[in-house]
Amino acid sequence: MPEPRQISLPVLGMTCANCVAAVERSLSKTEGVESANVNLSAERASVRFDPQKTNLQTMIGSVRKAGYEVALGEGNILVQGIADSSDALRIERAVNALEGVLSAQVNLASERVAVQYVPTMISQNDIRQEIRKGGFKVVDEGKDLEDAEMLARQKEIANQRRYLIIGLIFTLPVFMLSMARDFGLLPMALAHAKWLDWTFLVFATIVQFYVGWHYYVNGVKSLRNGSANMDVLVALGTSAAYFYSVAVVLGIVPGHGYFETSAVIITLVRLGKYLEAKAKGGAGDAIRKLINLRPKKAYIIRDGIEVEIPVDEVQIGDIVIVRPGEKMPVDGVVVEGHSSVDESMLTGESLPVEKKAGDPVYGATMNKLGMLKFEATKIGKDTALSQIIKLVENAQASKAPIQNLADKISAVFVPVVIGIALITFLVWYFLVPLPADAEVSLLARALINMVAVLVIACPCAMGLATPTAVMVGTGKGAELGILVKNSESLERAGDINMVVLDKTGTLTRGQPNVSDILVLDFAGGEERLLQLAASVEAGSEHLLGEAITAAAKLKGIPLLEMSAFKSRTGKGVAAEVDGNAILIGNQAYMDEQHIAYDAFTSEVETLQAEAKTVILIAINGKLAGVMGIMDTLKEGSQEAVQKLHEMGLKVAMLTGDNQRTAEAIARQAGIDEVLANVLPKDKVRQVKTLQEAGKVVAMVGDGINDAPALTQADVGIAIGTGTDVAIASAPFVLISGDLRSVPKAIALSRKTLKTIKQNLFWAFFYNTILIPAAALGLLNPMLAAAAMSFSSIFVISNSLRLKRFK
């Protein structure tokens, strides 16, 4: 049975949380769809589905059924070498088989392949690569491939601008002349001219049914899907003012028309949506910056000659040449040259990294000094940059738990507002007497107050409060080398009160060295002891064993053949070398093997007090020597711990070392609590114990050896995992190995969570205060429309402040 698949669809036309609910509901009802989460700010639908029960076309159809569109990319690719219809059919089959491609058609006469695809799933580069695999030549027409999704969104912004301009052209004359008439600024003959009312009717009709037609169409679709969104409120409110005014002009009811009210409301809402669309575009800047980091060309050696090719034509195994000032086109391993490379776009660290033969390089990083030749090892979607972009996109498309409250309120918000509006109308019409000096009729007063309630209500701000902050926060994190895999962990990290640091490779360099060799009851001397120990440890993969082997190699001591190798995880190893039975391990291992070491307790304690790990060596049943192995603190570890303390966090260290050694290292780093003698399998239990004591725990480790503990922790933070960002077990991945990124990540989470709470407070406060104000007749409908538009823009602007996080 195939595994469920997950895809991301770019959705156009959503304006509020009710739109999100409509798309989610429509997708969730689709057979084969297991879950659907829609992010309003990112305008993405993340769908998990069974590929045997549904397909891409069906899911796109479900989005359209809900009344919204999916942003699709279109390409017209020039291909050489299409000989006949069988070649054309072969290309069509190959391209149509690609996930994310909706259709591919070959025109034999023009030698072009017309493709339609979902840009969040596949790019034109991927399609071109597939055509090349078939043996055809794809012609580079000298123009950059467009970002299809961005193009669709720019088109939507252009449409909003066009409607706004038309709205302004017809609304401003109506508003200005109407206000001038109301304040007695027009000549008497003009003020009472019948043709002026008919001009208002014509202009307002254009605004109502051309500029505002979108609100009717989307409102009907929303109601058809079992929900009611902002479009329903705008359509109802403006229609009430417009049709009442029509009745006044036609003489059906006496009184004053309100064409300026309906026209101004629609135009102001259009203005708000236009500004909102532009601001939402700013929230996605981080992803676009990452995408734009990719170089367009690459220089490779083919048949002994250097040639320039498009970057998507680079193959694994190609030798790539990068000169000073140029970017690495793909990931690879240096085969020739020496240089320093700026990797800040990956790690957030500004200092260049030295590169020589055998060192890895990553696509989009900048070569600073010398020329490098490297072998391409990862291309396309497999590069570190592509993995990072994918992780950030997935995080931005996820939904934070704090959003659930807004979603629940939004689900009933519009029906409740409509109910309040009806009650407002009835109360003002039947229960509140009209003052003797009133300039409006009873019906007009009740109607205007009802319209104000309908227009002031804003579910958009509630819907945008969380996703915009998450989108900007995760994007800023990517710039700093902090990758957040989902918004739930971003929210959770803001509540952390305890940070647990794995020692080896996280707090320390992870490259221990033998610092002391004490020969005890052994006649062979220091070199012989080291030779025997290193010969045994040659069969071990433990870092301490590697340190012993490295010490022997450094001194030029040859290793001997060993046999009967046995290992006890977290304790020690045993083997036979040159006729000797050798045991190497910690005190627990010696106790287990009944090796006495009491006579040398003072030597052991002295080494432990110096923060050295003590390794005991027994030969033929007797303790022969002791080695001290030291792993120094990473640069920045003390500063990172100090910063965590300044943030009010407790810091613990988790290690397999004995208590005395662990405490010595903890003193150097300034750590509060030490969890020593912890075997790898017991790390999960230690984290669980802290959680049971009421701690909200962040576990920081290397992402592979510490995987179970990272998963158990409230927030797992994998540090220094390099390019394997996609497989790390933790929801946070810090690409740099610098521990100072941990307080940065927690500070960013706190700031994001604070921004979300500010946004939600504003959205709820705004509606709680202004809806009653409108119902009490204290708010003009035109001011209500302006305030409604402002609320969404405020929420987005507040989220965009996260881009300035330092």
Side-chain angles (χ1 to χ4, degrees), residues 743-764:
K744 276 185 202 172
I746 296 170
L748 177 64
S749 300
R750 286 181 171 181
K751 186 71 175 174
T752 304
L753 187 59
K754 182 181 178 182
T755 302
I756 290 170
K757 288 177 178 177
Q758 287 171 346
N759 288 349
L760 286 172
F761 170 79
W762 167 259
F764 289 133

Side-chain angles (χ1 to χ4, degrees), residues 17 75 181 226 331 438 641 683 706 727 746 794:
R181 183 168 67 176
D331 293 3
V641 173
K683 288 182 178 180
D706 302 308
I727 61 169
I746 296 170
F794 173 86

Side-chain angles (χ1 to χ4, degrees), residues 45-67:
S46 181
V47 189
R48 185 177 169 85
F49 67 99
D50 183 343
Q52 286 192 329
K53 293 182 180 177
T54 191
N55 56 38
L56 185 58
Q57 280 88 347
T58 304
M59 288 183 281
I60 290 174
S62 296
V63 174
R64 287 172 174 161
K65 186 180 174 185

Side-chain angles (χ1 to χ4, degrees), residues 321-324 336-339 367 369-373:
I321 299 172
V322 184
R323 294 176 175 81
E336 187 183 319
H338 186 276
S339 183
N367 186 20
L369 294 175
M371 186 176 84
L372 290 175
K373 288 184 182 179

Side-chain angles (χ1 to χ4, degrees), residues 459-628:
C460 309
M462 286 188 287
L464 289 166
T466 300
T468 49
V470 167
M471 193 171 185
V472 180
T474 52
K476 185 64 183 178
E479 289 178 23
L480 298 172
I482 302 165
L483 302 182
V484 188
K485 291 189 176 180
N486 57 65
S487 50
E488 182 179 356
S489 58
L490 187 72
E491 179 184 327
R492 191 68 173 140
D495 297 325
I496 289 166
N497 53 31
M498 176 71 139
V499 178
V500 178
L501 304 174
D502 177 56
K503 190 201 84 168
T504 307
T506 301
L507 190 66
T508 62
R509 295 182 185 278
Q511 296 172 332
N513 297 303
V514 175
S515 57
D516 302 84
I517 301 176
L518 304 180
V519 180
L520 304 173
D521 190 3
F522 180 63
E526 184 179 308
E527 280 201 11
R528 176 65 172 167
L529 183 69
L530 180 56
Q531 184 184 44
L532 293 172
S535 298
V536 174
E537 292 290 3
S540 169
E541 294 179 355
H542 196 280
L543 281 171
L544 299 179
E546 288 176 6
I548 294 170
T549 307
K553 287 180 180 176
L554 194 65
K555 293 186 177 185
I557 300 172
L559 302 186
L560 304 172
E561 191 176 329
M562 60 97 174
S563 60
F565 179 84
K566 293 178 183 176
S567 174
R568 287 280 282 122
T569 304
K571 292 186 178 181
V573 294
E576 289 184 14
V577 179
D578 205 14
N580 298 293
I582 300 171
L583 301 171
I584 305 173
N586 56 22
Q587 288 154 285
Y589 189 51
M590 294 300 152
D591 289 336
E592 192 179 275
Q593 300 297 322
H594 308 294
I595 304 294
Y597 55 85
D598 294 348
F600 307 104
T601 303
S602 61
E603 287 88 341
V604 169
E605 288 178 351
T606 300
L607 292 173
Q608 288 175 345
E610 295 170 355
K612 294 170 183 174
T613 300
V614 175
I615 299 295
L616 305 176
I617 304 164
I619 299 176
N620 298 323
K622 289 168 60 180
L623 191 69
V626 176
M627 287 188 186

